[in-house]
Amino acid sequence: MTPTEQYIEILGKLKAGDLGLLRTHAGQGLDESVDGFDLFAGLWWPLRQNNEWAPRREAAWLIAKLFAFCPISYSHGETFASRLGLCKPDNFRDMKRFQQRFDRMLSLPIRRIEPELRWSLDLVAKRSYKLDWVKLTDDLSFWERESRRLEWAKDFLETFEGGKSC
């Protein structure tokens, strides 16, 4: 099992109180709360100590908060961008705004992407889609690489253009 898979498994076993604590830290940095930092350190640091390939700290913190906000069921291969592409609106005006919002998300640095990811995950959850949390975590760990963003754009467009409206 990869360190990222282990991390997602750990998040899936969190109790309601821990998930609630993570939700209260939406939009906050890791250094803004002792309680949040302590919880996160207990989740992530043991993985990092044992394996240098553990998800990057910033991405792991973001994923912990997103998972607490919207604990969508895990399914290998169900990429974030392809699931979001299935959520396209059925009227042209909303569809254009939807595409523009996705394009804008691709241009954001990881430290500013959380609100857009929350919006997107909410759409995915409302349609009861599953998600590959491991892939999402790995993608965000290397978000500064243009190749990751291009991969998202390709997955989104392939699904968006070929999928049905919701």
Side-chain angles (χ1 to χ4, degrees), residues 30-111:
L30 184 56
D31 59 352
E32 294 183 45
S33 160
V34 173
D35 291 341
F37 181 85
D38 287 347
L39 174 59
F40 175 74
L43 302 172
W44 178 79
W45 188 246
L47 290 175
R48 181 67 177 130
Q49 282 183 310
N50 293 327
N51 194 319
E52 68 182 89
W53 300 110
R56 286 185 36 213
R57 186 177 72 169
E58 189 172 23
W61 172 239
L62 177 57
I63 288 293
K65 295 183 294 178
L66 293 171
F67 187 86
F69 166 72
C70 201
I72 297 170
S73 296
Y74 174 83
S75 180
H76 179 74
E78 304 290 341
T79 67
F80 170 78
S82 67
R83 296 307 90 191
L84 184 59
L86 290 173
C87 296
K88 69 180 179 180
D90 50 357
N91 69 61
F92 180 76
R93 184 174 164 204
D94 290 342
M95 193 178 306
K96 277 302 221 189
R97 281 197 301 244
F98 181 75
Q99 286 178 292
Q100 289 169 345
R101 194 160 184 183
F102 179 76
D103 288 345
R104 191 171 46 249
M105 180 171 41
L106 292 179
S107 69
L108 293 171
I110 193 168
R111 69 184 181 283

Side-chain angles (χ1 to χ4, degrees), residues 19-28 62-70 72 80 84 101 105 108 112-126 133 136 140 152:
L19 292 171
L21 177 63
L22 287 168
R23 280 191 298 275
T24 66
H25 291 83
Q28 294 182 2
L62 177 57
I63 288 293
K65 295 183 294 178
L66 293 171
F67 187 86
F69 166 72
C70 201
I72 297 170
F80 170 78
L84 184 59
R101 194 160 184 183
M105 180 171 41
L108 293 171
R112 292 191 26 231
I113 199 170
E114 185 177 347
E116 296 301 318
L117 288 171
R118 286 176 56 118
W119 163 77
S120 304
L121 287 171
D122 191 45
L123 292 176
V124 170
K126 284 179 180 174
W133 284 99
L136 179 57
L140 292 174
W152 277 33

